[in-house]
Amino acid sequence: MKARRQAEILAIIQEYDIETQDQLLEKLRERGMKSTQATISRDIKELHLVKELTGHSTYKYAVSERKTSLNVAGRLNTIFRESVTSFDNAQNLVVLKTMPGLASAACSAMDGMHLPNMVGSLAGDDTAILIMRTNQDAEELCLDIVKMLEKNP
């Protein structure tokens, strides 16, 4: 029920400019879902919803962009700490060696970071290649990877 309600909340705030929890409760009721203000308040917190300014000098609920980037960054760090066994660069390429079967997950996490200097990635079973724009970009990414692997979970 909770997952369905939260999915409905996300759909509602995409479709309508919802300014208050009361408006959100009303839209949920229109969709046949009963809830309380306290439950909606917890959902807003769990979904990391924020109020953002609209073009009409009012505020509406929206998904925090920061939450999305933090989740991706956290996922990336977890994947690296748990799956990358070694890495090196060769000119503008960064080669990652991973535990068997995890190269694709490492590439997907890197792609999700939207690194401006990464052109693309290619994954096999336990090897991933990250294509950077320049040799310097590849070297800098390797330095970042060292930092990611050093951090404690």
Side-chain angles (χ1 to χ4, degrees), residues 77 80 87-89 93-94 96 110 115 130 132 135-151:
N77 285 327
F80 269 76
F87 61 94
D88 202 353
N89 69 297
L93 303 177
V94 175
L96 302 174
M110 291 298 295
L115 300 171
L130 308 174
M132 306 303 291
N135 296 357
Q136 183 176 348
D137 293 335
E139 291 169 12
E140 289 173 5
L141 180 59
C142 284
L143 293 174
D144 290 341
I145 292 171
V146 168
K147 292 175 189 171
M148 283 186 265
L149 291 174
E150 288 175 350
K151 288 185 181 180

Side-chain angles (χ1 to χ4, degrees), residues 56-68:
H56 311 293
S57 297
T58 60
Y59 288 87
K60 69 175 185 170
Y61 281 107
V63 177
S64 169
E65 289 181 25
R66 184 166 184 253
K67 180 220 178 219
T68 303

Side-chain angles (χ1 to χ4, degrees), residues 1-68:
M1 182 69 173
K2 177 180 175 179
R4 183 172 170 251
R5 183 183 62 248
Q6 288 185 349
E8 286 294 326
I9 289 170
L10 292 173
I12 289 167
I13 66 168
Q14 288 283 41
E15 192 174 336
Y16 303 99
D17 287 349
I18 301 295
E19 296 180 52
T20 66
Q21 291 181 12
D22 286 337
Q23 288 175 334
L24 190 54
L25 275 169
E26 182 60 32
K27 290 293 182 190
L28 281 171
R29 284 187 192 113
E30 288 173 12
R31 294 177 182 214
M33 301 189 80
K34 293 183 180 181
S35 191
T36 65
Q37 189 275 332
T39 300
I40 295 301
S41 183
R42 280 191 297 274
D43 288 337
I44 288 169
K45 203 174 271 191
E46 288 177 19
L47 292 169
H48 298 276
L49 300 183
V50 295
K51 284 197 171 182
E52 67 179 21
L53 190 61
T54 67
H56 311 293
S57 297
T58 60
Y59 288 87
K60 69 175 185 170
Y61 281 107
V63 177
S64 169
E65 289 181 25
R66 184 166 184 253
K67 180 220 178 219
T68 303

Side-chain angles (χ1 to χ4, degrees), residues 70-98:
L70 287 174
N71 283 348
V72 171
R75 214 170 34 238
L76 173 66
N77 285 327
T78 299
I79 288 168
F80 269 76
R81 279 193 307 270
E82 295 181 5
S83 67
V84 173
T85 58
S86 66
F87 61 94
D88 202 353
N89 69 297
Q91 294 187 12
N92 69 319
L93 303 177
V94 175
V95 178
L96 302 174
K97 294 300 254 177
T98 70

